[in-house]
Amino acid sequence: MELYKIEEILAGEPSYRLRQVERALYRDLVDSWRNVTNLPVSLREKLEEEVPVNFNFDSLTSLKSDSIKAIIELNDGLKIESVLMQHMDGRNTVCVSSQIGCPLGCKFCSTGKIGFIRNLSYHEIAEQVLFFSYYLKKTGKSVTNIVFMGMGEPFLNYGNVIKAIRIFNDAEKFNIGARRISVSTAGIPAGLKKLSDEKLQVNLAISLNAPNDRIRREIMPIDFKYPIEEVIGLVRSYIKKTGRRVMFEYVMLRDLNDSDVLAEQLVKLLKGILCFVNLIPYNGRESNLKPSTRERIKRFKEIIREGGITVTERFRFGDDINASCGQLVYRENTGSGKHHKF
Ligand code: SAH
Ligand code: SF4
């Protein structure tokens, strides 16, 4: 949908009109503008003509059907991928992208490989959740959680990411609690500082992936610019300001960052910080990187737990459709874009 047009169409109207229109779309998920009876007929017709409620996408369903990947075509013909993960406990989490590609080039990440193409607008970020909201509506369900763990580095597109979060959070729009929204970053100081002052109760996740700069630099080139100490320092002040617990993500790479010694270093690094560690099984296909073995992950986990730090392990979703984190890529426009209406 060309959501940006809504604001253009309503530019000359009183401000309550925009609120009515956004409420009809984001909260009520109307099927057609013609059904929004509190709007003047002429406006309904105009919206119907210029911003019809339908989505330009190709979708792929996971074989296990626990996750669904949508390939959404944007205005300029570029395509982005978003994933819906349907958890056993009833949560429906959308993994959104904030950029097309990513400039940070982490070695284990497919998005990093394609480089940076462009930032997404807040409308394009919101559309990913809108798409799955309509999808779930058919079965009486709704999106309950959002994670910024798709393509891109959210803090390099800060303004649009925060605007999108406010749309998700707004009780008149998606009405998704801030505590159900998570932002994952490779650790961009400017973004960490700004988020500390936003007064938003969102969850912050830091992609750490190694407890020292030597190893982190091998897999995350951004560490040359912003070393661990600087990132951790900012995380500490974020916690001081917000009182929120932070998650450290750690992709488990065989013989690279998964030894006992490194687990001990990690414990030392994070001691006293209000946080938990989330171990992520590596799911990429780089020839020089391998996933850690089950036994290794188990032992690594034990050391962290024995060190007094809470540790979890991410359940692998959607491996069969390349829908796991770090697996989202930009696709060439194949010209197959179809208009779909739910
Ligand atoms: N740019 C942000 C958010 C997107 S990446 C960030 O880096 O945090 C989201 C998560 O996916 C990160 O924690 C990243 O470490 C992880 N990830 C990337 N590639 C992966 C892969 N091949 N296997 C497992 N996790 C991966
Ligand atoms: Fe970018 Fe995150 Fe992938 Fe690194 S892991 S390349 S920061 S999307």
Side-chain angles (χ1 to χ4, degrees), residues 95-96 98-99 102 104 106 108-111 148-154 183-187 205-209 220 249-253 280-285 314 324-327:
C95 179
V96 294
S98 56
Q99 302 182 311
C102 178
L104 298 187
C106 301
F108 47 81
C109 172
S110 316
T111 306
F148 280 82
M149 293 184 187
M151 282 196 271
E153 169 48 52
V183 180
S184 174
T185 176
I206 308 284
S207 293
L208 188 62
N209 299 325
M220 298 182 72
E249 294 159 286
Y250 200 105
V251 178
M252 296 295 290
L253 299 162
I280 311 174
Y282 171 62
N283 56 37
R285 291 179 186 80
R314 183 181 292 171
S324 307
C325 285
Q327 291 290 305

mmCIF file of all heavy atoms in Angstrom, residues 95-96 98-99 102 104 106 108-111 148-154 183-187 205-209 220 249-253 280-285 314 324-327, ligand 1:
data_model
loop_
_atom_site.group_PDB
_atom_site.id
_atom_site.type_symbol
_atom_site.label_atom_id
_atom_site.label_comp_id
_atom_site.label_asym_id
_atom_site.label_seq_id
_atom_site.Cartn_x
_atom_site.Cartn_y
_atom_site.Cartn_z
ATOM 1 N N CYS A 95 8.854 -10.037 12.531
ATOM 2 C CA CYS A 95 10.252 -9.621 12.464
ATOM 3 C C CYS A 95 10.353 -8.624 11.313
ATOM 4 O O CYS A 95 10.186 -8.996 10.154
ATOM 5 C CB CYS A 95 11.111 -10.861 12.210
ATOM 6 S SG CYS A 95 12.861 -10.513 12.085
ATOM 7 N N VAL A 96 10.555 -7.352 11.641
ATOM 8 C CA VAL A 96 10.523 -6.324 10.599
ATOM 9 C C VAL A 96 11.923 -5.897 10.159
ATOM 10 O O VAL A 96 12.885 -5.999 10.905
ATOM 11 C CB VAL A 96 9.735 -5.055 11.032
ATOM 12 C CG1 VAL A 96 8.269 -5.340 11.214
ATOM 13 C CG2 VAL A 96 10.331 -4.423 12.285
ATOM 14 N N SER A 98 14.327 -2.719 8.760
ATOM 15 C CA SER A 98 14.399 -1.255 8.877
ATOM 16 C C SER A 98 15.144 -0.625 7.698
ATOM 17 O O SER A 98 15.037 0.566 7.455
ATOM 18 C CB SER A 98 15.081 -0.857 10.188
ATOM 19 O OG SER A 98 16.360 -1.455 10.274
ATOM 20 N N GLN A 99 15.911 -1.433 6.989
ATOM 21 C CA GLN A 99 16.629 -0.957 5.806
ATOM 22 C C GLN A 99 16.557 -2.045 4.731
ATOM 23 O O GLN A 99 16.275 -3.198 5.046
ATOM 24 C CB GLN A 99 18.116 -0.739 6.124
ATOM 25 C CG GLN A 99 18.391 0.240 7.256
ATOM 26 C CD GLN A 99 19.890 0.445 7.493
ATOM 27 O OE1 GLN A 99 20.644 -0.513 7.596
ATOM 28 N NE2 GLN A 99 20.307 1.699 7.580
ATOM 29 N N CYS A 102 22.157 -3.753 4.442
ATOM 30 C CA CYS A 102 22.731 -3.186 5.665
ATOM 31 C C CYS A 102 24.186 -2.827 5.380
ATOM 32 O O CYS A 102 24.889 -3.604 4.747
ATOM 33 C CB CYS A 102 22.657 -4.197 6.806
ATOM 34 S SG CYS A 102 23.411 -3.596 8.337
ATOM 35 N N LEU A 104 26.638 -2.632 7.468
ATOM 36 C CA LEU A 104 27.621 -3.030 8.481
ATOM 37 C C LEU A 104 28.393 -4.315 8.165
ATOM 38 O O LEU A 104 29.409 -4.592 8.798
ATOM 39 C CB LEU A 104 26.958 -3.105 9.861
ATOM 40 C CG LEU A 104 26.382 -1.772 10.354
ATOM 41 C CD1 LEU A 104 25.900 -1.882 11.793
ATOM 42 C CD2 LEU A 104 27.409 -0.644 10.250
ATOM 43 N N CYS A 106 28.361 -7.614 8.654
ATOM 44 C CA CYS A 106 28.765 -8.693 9.563
ATOM 45 C C CYS A 106 28.953 -9.975 8.746
ATOM 46 O O CYS A 106 28.144 -10.274 7.859
ATOM 47 C CB CYS A 106 27.725 -8.894 10.651
ATOM 48 S SG CYS A 106 27.448 -7.412 11.622
ATOM 49 N N PHE A 108 28.615 -13.128 9.282
ATOM 50 C CA PHE A 108 27.707 -14.276 9.382
ATOM 51 C C PHE A 108 26.318 -13.982 8.831
ATOM 52 O O PHE A 108 25.438 -14.821 8.851
ATOM 53 C CB PHE A 108 27.580 -14.686 10.861
ATOM 54 C CG PHE A 108 27.341 -13.497 11.757
ATOM 55 C CD1 PHE A 108 26.081 -12.961 11.904
ATOM 56 C CD2 PHE A 108 28.415 -12.880 12.401
ATOM 57 C CE1 PHE A 108 25.871 -11.833 12.679
ATOM 58 C CE2 PHE A 108 28.211 -11.750 13.189
ATOM 59 C CZ PHE A 108 26.938 -11.224 13.331
ATOM 60 N N CYS A 109 26.104 -12.757 8.347
ATOM 61 C CA CYS A 109 24.748 -12.302 8.054
ATOM 62 C C CYS A 109 24.507 -12.112 6.555
ATOM 63 O O CYS A 109 25.268 -11.412 5.885
ATOM 64 C CB CYS A 109 24.526 -10.991 8.802
ATOM 65 S SG CYS A 109 22.992 -10.152 8.389
ATOM 66 N N SER A 110 23.453 -12.718 6.037
ATOM 67 C CA SER A 110 23.154 -12.613 4.597
ATOM 68 C C SER A 110 22.814 -11.190 4.197
ATOM 69 O O SER A 110 23.123 -10.754 3.098
ATOM 70 C CB SER A 110 21.959 -13.483 4.213
ATOM 71 O OG SER A 110 22.042 -14.727 4.807
ATOM 72 N N THR A 111 22.138 -10.473 5.098
ATOM 73 C CA THR A 111 21.781 -9.085 4.787
ATOM 74 C C THR A 111 23.056 -8.249 4.640
ATOM 75 O O THR A 111 23.174 -7.420 3.731
ATOM 76 C CB THR A 111 20.909 -8.478 5.906
ATOM 77 O OG1 THR A 111 19.790 -9.323 6.128
ATOM 78 C CG2 THR A 111 20.432 -7.096 5.523
ATOM 79 N N PHE A 148 12.676 -5.821 15.722
ATOM 80 C CA PHE A 148 13.446 -5.214 14.626
ATOM 81 C C PHE A 148 14.689 -6.071 14.433
ATOM 82 O O PHE A 148 15.790 -5.705 14.826
ATOM 83 C CB PHE A 148 13.827 -3.760 14.956
ATOM 84 C CG PHE A 148 12.703 -2.785 14.730
ATOM 85 C CD1 PHE A 148 11.726 -2.607 15.687
ATOM 86 C CD2 PHE A 148 12.631 -2.047 13.557
ATOM 87 C CE1 PHE A 148 10.677 -1.706 15.486
ATOM 88 C CE2 PHE A 148 11.592 -1.144 13.344
ATOM 89 C CZ PHE A 148 10.612 -0.970 14.308
ATOM 90 N N MET A 149 14.474 -7.254 13.839
ATOM 91 C CA MET A 149 15.587 -8.184 13.635
ATOM 92 C C MET A 149 15.611 -8.683 12.200
ATOM 93 O O MET A 149 16.188 -9.713 11.894
ATOM 94 C CB MET A 149 15.491 -9.366 14.595
ATOM 95 C CG MET A 149 15.701 -8.960 16.044
ATOM 96 S SD MET A 149 15.703 -10.388 17.122
ATOM 97 C CE MET A 149 15.747 -9.594 18.732
ATOM 98 N N GLY A 150 14.932 -7.964 11.326
ATOM 99 C CA GLY A 150 14.972 -8.329 9.915
ATOM 100 C C GLY A 150 16.185 -7.695 9.266
ATOM 101 O O GLY A 150 17.252 -7.637 9.865
ATOM 102 N N MET A 151 15.992 -7.187 8.055
ATOM 103 C CA MET A 151 17.123 -6.562 7.371
ATOM 104 C C MET A 151 17.436 -5.205 7.967
ATOM 105 O O MET A 151 16.533 -4.433 8.281
ATOM 106 C CB MET A 151 16.755 -6.332 5.908
ATOM 107 C CG MET A 151 16.833 -7.556 5.054
ATOM 108 S SD MET A 151 16.838 -7.049 3.323
ATOM 109 C CE MET A 151 15.129 -7.019 2.987
ATOM 110 N N GLY A 152 18.710 -4.925 8.069
ATOM 111 C CA GLY A 152 19.122 -3.564 8.381
ATOM 112 C C GLY A 152 19.473 -3.278 9.820
ATOM 113 O O GLY A 152 19.152 -4.047 10.728
ATOM 114 N N GLU A 153 20.155 -2.155 10.008
ATOM 115 C CA GLU A 153 20.548 -1.699 11.338
ATOM 116 C C GLU A 153 19.590 -0.564 11.745
ATOM 117 O O GLU A 153 19.680 0.546 11.221
ATOM 118 C CB GLU A 153 22.004 -1.215 11.292
ATOM 119 C CG GLU A 153 22.463 -0.476 12.517
ATOM 120 C CD GLU A 153 22.128 -1.152 13.845
ATOM 121 O OE1 GLU A 153 22.446 -2.335 14.015
ATOM 122 O OE2 GLU A 153 21.522 -0.483 14.715
ATOM 123 N N PRO A 154 18.678 -0.853 12.685
ATOM 124 C CA PRO A 154 17.656 0.137 13.041
ATOM 125 C C PRO A 154 18.225 1.490 13.454
ATOM 126 O O PRO A 154 17.638 2.523 13.143
ATOM 127 C CB PRO A 154 16.910 -0.507 14.213
ATOM 128 C CG PRO A 154 17.350 -1.912 14.285
ATOM 129 C CD PRO A 154 18.531 -2.114 13.425
ATOM 130 N N VAL A 183 14.044 -3.821 19.831
ATOM 131 C CA VAL A 183 14.935 -3.270 18.816
ATOM 132 C C VAL A 183 16.308 -3.892 19.011
ATOM 133 O O VAL A 183 16.869 -3.852 20.100
ATOM 134 C CB VAL A 183 15.039 -1.729 18.953
ATOM 135 C CG1 VAL A 183 15.964 -1.168 17.895
ATOM 136 C CG2 VAL A 183 13.667 -1.094 18.846
ATOM 137 N N SER A 184 16.817 -4.480 17.930
ATOM 138 C CA SER A 184 18.126 -5.129 18.003
ATOM 139 C C SER A 184 19.142 -4.291 17.234
ATOM 140 O O SER A 184 18.897 -3.887 16.100
ATOM 141 C CB SER A 184 18.021 -6.531 17.395
ATOM 142 O OG SER A 184 19.286 -7.136 17.332
ATOM 143 N N THR A 185 20.285 -4.029 17.854
ATOM 144 C CA THR A 185 21.300 -3.201 17.200
ATOM 145 C C THR A 185 22.691 -3.811 17.337
ATOM 146 O O THR A 185 22.973 -4.502 18.321
ATOM 147 C CB THR A 185 21.324 -1.779 17.805
ATOM 148 O OG1 THR A 185 22.393 -1.033 17.215
ATOM 149 C CG2 THR A 185 21.513 -1.801 19.316
ATOM 150 N N ALA A 186 23.521 -3.507 16.350
ATOM 151 C CA ALA A 186 24.913 -3.939 16.426
ATOM 152 C C ALA A 186 25.688 -3.032 17.380
ATOM 153 O O ALA A 186 26.866 -3.259 17.641
ATOM 154 C CB ALA A 186 25.534 -3.916 15.034
ATOM 155 N N GLY A 187 25.034 -1.986 17.900
ATOM 156 C CA GLY A 187 25.666 -1.101 18.881
ATOM 157 C C GLY A 187 26.131 0.200 18.273
ATOM 158 O O GLY A 187 27.327 0.439 18.127
ATOM 159 N N ALA A 205 18.038 -4.898 22.416
ATOM 160 C CA ALA A 205 18.911 -6.071 22.256
ATOM 161 C C ALA A 205 20.206 -5.621 21.568
ATOM 162 O O ALA A 205 20.161 -4.826 20.627
ATOM 163 C CB ALA A 205 18.208 -7.127 21.412
ATOM 164 N N ILE A 206 21.318 -6.109 22.069
ATOM 165 C CA ILE A 206 22.617 -5.750 21.490
ATOM 166 C C ILE A 206 23.229 -6.999 20.879
ATOM 167 O O ILE A 206 23.360 -8.029 21.548
ATOM 168 C CB ILE A 206 23.584 -5.232 22.585
ATOM 169 C CG1 ILE A 206 22.954 -4.111 23.413
ATOM 170 C CG2 ILE A 206 24.935 -4.836 21.990
ATOM 171 C CD1 ILE A 206 22.887 -2.764 22.746
ATOM 172 N N SER A 207 23.610 -6.905 19.596
ATOM 173 C CA SER A 207 24.284 -8.039 18.964
ATOM 174 C C SER A 207 25.751 -8.002 19.350
ATOM 175 O O SER A 207 26.521 -7.248 18.774
ATOM 176 C CB SER A 207 24.149 -7.954 17.440
ATOM 177 O OG SER A 207 22.802 -8.126 17.084
ATOM 178 N N LEU A 208 26.094 -8.790 20.340
ATOM 179 C CA LEU A 208 27.457 -8.750 20.876
ATOM 180 C C LEU A 208 28.337 -9.758 20.128
ATOM 181 O O LEU A 208 29.350 -9.395 19.534
ATOM 182 C CB LEU A 208 27.412 -9.036 22.379
ATOM 183 C CG LEU A 208 28.719 -8.843 23.130
ATOM 184 C CD1 LEU A 208 29.209 -7.409 23.055
ATOM 185 C CD2 LEU A 208 28.559 -9.266 24.599
ATOM 186 N N ASN A 209 27.955 -11.000 20.198
ATOM 187 C CA ASN A 209 28.586 -12.069 19.407
ATOM 188 C C ASN A 209 30.024 -12.424 19.756
ATOM 189 O O ASN A 209 30.559 -13.399 19.213
ATOM 190 C CB ASN A 209 28.478 -11.777 17.906
ATOM 191 C CG ASN A 209 27.030 -11.695 17.463
ATOM 192 O OD1 ASN A 209 26.180 -12.416 17.973
ATOM 193 N ND2 ASN A 209 26.726 -10.794 16.547
ATOM 194 N N MET A 220 32.401 -8.761 13.022
ATOM 195 C CA MET A 220 31.604 -7.531 12.963
ATOM 196 C C MET A 220 32.529 -6.325 12.775
ATOM 197 O O MET A 220 33.033 -5.759 13.753
ATOM 198 C CB MET A 220 30.789 -7.352 14.259
ATOM 199 C CG MET A 220 29.786 -8.450 14.518
ATOM 200 S SD MET A 220 28.816 -8.152 16.031
ATOM 201 C CE MET A 220 27.744 -6.813 15.528
ATOM 202 N N GLU A 249 22.700 -10.528 22.333
ATOM 203 C CA GLU A 249 22.574 -11.659 21.408
ATOM 204 C C GLU A 249 23.962 -12.181 21.065
ATOM 205 O O GLU A 249 24.920 -11.402 20.921
ATOM 206 C CB GLU A 249 21.875 -11.196 20.123
ATOM 207 C CG GLU A 249 20.428 -10.787 20.337
ATOM 208 C CD GLU A 249 19.919 -9.885 19.232
ATOM 209 O OE1 GLU A 249 20.314 -8.690 19.210
ATOM 210 O OE2 GLU A 249 19.164 -10.366 18.392
ATOM 211 N N TYR A 250 24.023 -13.492 20.908
ATOM 212 C CA TYR A 250 25.321 -14.118 20.689
ATOM 213 C C TYR A 250 25.134 -15.280 19.710
ATOM 214 O O TYR A 250 24.610 -16.332 20.072
ATOM 215 C CB TYR A 250 25.854 -14.608 22.043
ATOM 216 C CG TYR A 250 27.337 -14.860 22.119
ATOM 217 C CD1 TYR A 250 28.184 -13.962 22.775
ATOM 218 C CD2 TYR A 250 27.905 -16.009 21.566
ATOM 219 C CE1 TYR A 250 29.551 -14.199 22.875
ATOM 220 C CE2 TYR A 250 29.264 -16.253 21.652
ATOM 221 C CZ TYR A 250 30.084 -15.349 22.311
ATOM 222 O OH TYR A 250 31.436 -15.588 22.410
ATOM 223 N N VAL A 251 25.508 -15.054 18.464
ATOM 224 C CA VAL A 251 25.388 -16.102 17.439
ATOM 225 C C VAL A 251 26.515 -17.114 17.655
ATOM 226 O O VAL A 251 27.684 -16.735 17.710
ATOM 227 C CB VAL A 251 25.504 -15.506 16.016
ATOM 228 C CG1 VAL A 251 25.417 -16.601 14.956
ATOM 229 C CG2 VAL A 251 24.411 -14.464 15.780
ATOM 230 N N MET A 252 26.162 -18.370 17.825
ATOM 231 C CA MET A 252 27.155 -19.393 18.182
ATOM 232 C C MET A 252 27.871 -19.951 16.947
ATOM 233 O O MET A 252 27.279 -20.673 16.136
ATOM 234 C CB MET A 252 26.457 -20.536 18.931
ATOM 235 C CG MET A 252 25.858 -20.116 20.274
ATOM 236 S SD MET A 252 27.095 -19.593 21.474
ATOM 237 C CE MET A 252 27.906 -21.147 21.848
ATOM 238 N N LEU A 253 29.156 -19.616 16.837
ATOM 239 C CA LEU A 253 29.959 -20.023 15.677
ATOM 240 C C LEU A 253 31.055 -20.997 16.113
ATOM 241 O O LEU A 253 31.869 -20.679 17.000
ATOM 242 C CB LEU A 253 30.586 -18.777 15.040
ATOM 243 C CG LEU A 253 29.559 -17.748 14.524
ATOM 244 C CD1 LEU A 253 30.201 -16.378 14.323
ATOM 245 C CD2 LEU A 253 28.929 -18.242 13.221
ATOM 246 N N ILE A 280 22.144 -17.696 19.902
ATOM 247 C CA ILE A 280 21.432 -17.950 18.643
ATOM 248 C C ILE A 280 22.221 -18.966 17.825
ATOM 249 O O ILE A 280 23.378 -18.723 17.500
ATOM 250 C CB ILE A 280 21.309 -16.653 17.807
ATOM 251 C CG1 ILE A 280 20.780 -15.495 18.665
ATOM 252 C CG2 ILE A 280 20.437 -16.871 16.582
ATOM 253 C CD1 ILE A 280 20.777 -14.150 17.947
ATOM 254 N N PRO A 281 21.609 -20.098 17.499
ATOM 255 C CA PRO A 281 22.320 -21.046 16.629
ATOM 256 C C PRO A 281 22.578 -20.394 15.266
ATOM 257 O O PRO A 281 21.672 -19.790 14.703
ATOM 258 C CB PRO A 281 21.347 -22.220 16.499
ATOM 259 C CG PRO A 281 20.329 -22.031 17.571
ATOM 260 C CD PRO A 281 20.264 -20.560 17.850
ATOM 261 N N TYR A 282 23.793 -20.485 14.790
ATOM 262 C CA TYR A 282 24.120 -19.919 13.475
ATOM 263 C C TYR A 282 23.362 -20.693 12.403
ATOM 264 O O TYR A 282 23.361 -21.920 12.402
ATOM 265 C CB TYR A 282 25.635 -20.003 13.234
ATOM 266 C CG TYR A 282 26.050 -19.657 11.833
ATOM 267 C CD1 TYR A 282 25.818 -18.392 11.310
ATOM 268 C CD2 TYR A 282 26.692 -20.603 11.018
ATOM 269 C CE1 TYR A 282 26.206 -18.070 10.010
ATOM 270 C CE2 TYR A 282 27.089 -20.286 9.724
ATOM 271 C CZ TYR A 282 26.842 -19.017 9.225
ATOM 272 O OH TYR A 282 27.213 -18.691 7.948
ATOM 273 N N ASN A 283 22.730 -19.975 11.490
ATOM 274 C CA ASN A 283 21.953 -20.682 10.472
ATOM 275 C C ASN A 283 22.363 -20.304 9.048
ATOM 276 O O ASN A 283 21.615 -20.542 8.109
ATOM 277 C CB ASN A 283 20.464 -20.408 10.681
ATOM 278 C CG ASN A 283 20.177 -18.914 10.662
ATOM 279 O OD1 ASN A 283 20.786 -18.178 9.894
ATOM 280 N ND2 ASN A 283 19.286 -18.459 11.496
ATOM 281 N N GLY A 284 23.520 -19.675 8.922
ATOM 282 C CA GLY A 284 23.931 -19.229 7.581
ATOM 283 C C GLY A 284 24.664 -20.314 6.799
ATOM 284 O O GLY A 284 24.816 -21.437 7.274
ATOM 285 N N ARG A 285 25.103 -19.940 5.620
ATOM 286 C CA ARG A 285 25.765 -20.921 4.756
ATOM 287 C C ARG A 285 27.144 -20.471 4.296
ATOM 288 O O ARG A 285 27.620 -20.875 3.242
ATOM 289 C CB ARG A 285 24.885 -21.209 3.537
ATOM 290 C CG ARG A 285 23.619 -21.959 3.899
ATOM 291 C CD ARG A 285 22.725 -22.234 2.703
ATOM 292 N NE ARG A 285 21.462 -22.825 3.131
ATOM 293 C CZ ARG A 285 20.451 -22.117 3.629
ATOM 294 N NH1 ARG A 285 20.545 -20.814 3.725
ATOM 295 N NH2 ARG A 285 19.336 -22.716 4.015
ATOM 296 N N ARG A 314 17.707 -19.228 21.524
ATOM 297 C CA ARG A 314 16.628 -18.939 20.586
ATOM 298 C C ARG A 314 16.173 -20.193 19.863
ATOM 299 O O ARG A 314 16.966 -20.956 19.338
ATOM 300 C CB ARG A 314 17.057 -17.902 19.564
ATOM 301 C CG ARG A 314 15.918 -17.531 18.631
ATOM 302 C CD ARG A 314 16.334 -16.525 17.616
ATOM 303 N NE ARG A 314 16.616 -15.237 18.229
ATOM 304 C CZ ARG A 314 17.177 -14.231 17.565
ATOM 305 N NH1 ARG A 314 17.510 -14.379 16.316
ATOM 306 N NH2 ARG A 314 17.397 -13.100 18.169
ATOM 307 N N SER A 324 14.948 -17.326 8.966
ATOM 308 C CA SER A 324 15.568 -17.038 10.250
ATOM 309 C C SER A 324 16.273 -15.697 10.197
ATOM 310 O O SER A 324 16.521 -15.153 9.138
ATOM 311 C CB SER A 324 16.598 -18.110 10.581
ATOM 312 O OG SER A 324 16.014 -19.362 10.491
ATOM 313 N N CYS A 325 16.604 -15.192 11.363
ATOM 314 C CA CYS A 325 17.312 -13.915 11.430
ATOM 315 C C CYS A 325 18.606 -14.004 10.632
ATOM 316 O O CYS A 325 19.273 -15.014 10.625
ATOM 317 C CB CYS A 325 17.642 -13.572 12.867
ATOM 318 S SG CYS A 325 16.195 -13.016 13.740
ATOM 319 N N GLY A 326 18.915 -12.924 9.971
ATOM 320 C CA GLY A 326 20.148 -12.890 9.196
ATOM 321 C C GLY A 326 20.003 -13.556 7.844
ATOM 322 O O GLY A 326 20.917 -13.565 7.039
ATOM 323 N N GLN A 327 18.831 -14.085 7.584
ATOM 324 C CA GLN A 327 18.615 -14.799 6.320
ATOM 325 C C GLN A 327 17.753 -13.995 5.359
ATOM 326 O O GLN A 327 17.397 -14.462 4.299
ATOM 327 C CB GLN A 327 17.916 -16.139 6.583
ATOM 328 C CG GLN A 327 18.783 -17.135 7.301
ATOM 329 C CD GLN A 327 19.884 -17.624 6.417
ATOM 330 O OE1 GLN A 327 19.636 -18.117 5.335
ATOM 331 N NE2 GLN A 327 21.119 -17.461 6.850
HETATM 332 N N1 SAH B 1 21.200 -5.080 12.563
HETATM 333 C C1 SAH B 1 20.609 -5.457 13.780
HETATM 334 C C2 SAH B 1 19.279 -6.158 13.610
HETATM 335 C C3 SAH B 1 19.156 -7.173 12.528
HETATM 336 S S1 SAH B 1 20.123 -8.638 12.728
HETATM 337 C C4 SAH B 1 21.549 -6.304 14.608
HETATM 338 O O1 SAH B 1 22.592 -6.725 14.091
HETATM 339 O O2 SAH B 1 21.274 -6.499 15.783
HETATM 340 C C5 SAH B 1 19.222 -9.468 13.998
HETATM 341 C C6 SAH B 1 19.985 -10.584 14.682
HETATM 342 O O3 SAH B 1 20.235 -11.657 13.777
HETATM 343 C C7 SAH B 1 21.350 -10.151 15.225
HETATM 344 O O4 SAH B 1 21.448 -10.471 16.582
HETATM 345 C C8 SAH B 1 22.324 -10.966 14.417
HETATM 346 O O5 SAH B 1 23.458 -11.246 15.195
HETATM 347 C C9 SAH B 1 21.510 -12.201 14.055
HETATM 348 N N2 SAH B 1 22.012 -12.906 12.888
HETATM 349 C C10 SAH B 1 22.477 -12.365 11.748
HETATM 350 N N3 SAH B 1 22.875 -13.347 10.893
HETATM 351 C C11 SAH B 1 22.651 -14.522 11.514
HETATM 352 C C12 SAH B 1 22.847 -15.892 11.160
HETATM 353 N N4 SAH B 1 23.345 -16.221 9.985
HETATM 354 N N5 SAH B 1 22.517 -16.839 12.036
HETATM 355 C C13 SAH B 1 21.978 -16.509 13.243
HETATM 356 N N6 SAH B 1 21.756 -15.239 13.629
HETATM 357 C C14 SAH B 1 22.097 -14.255 12.793
#
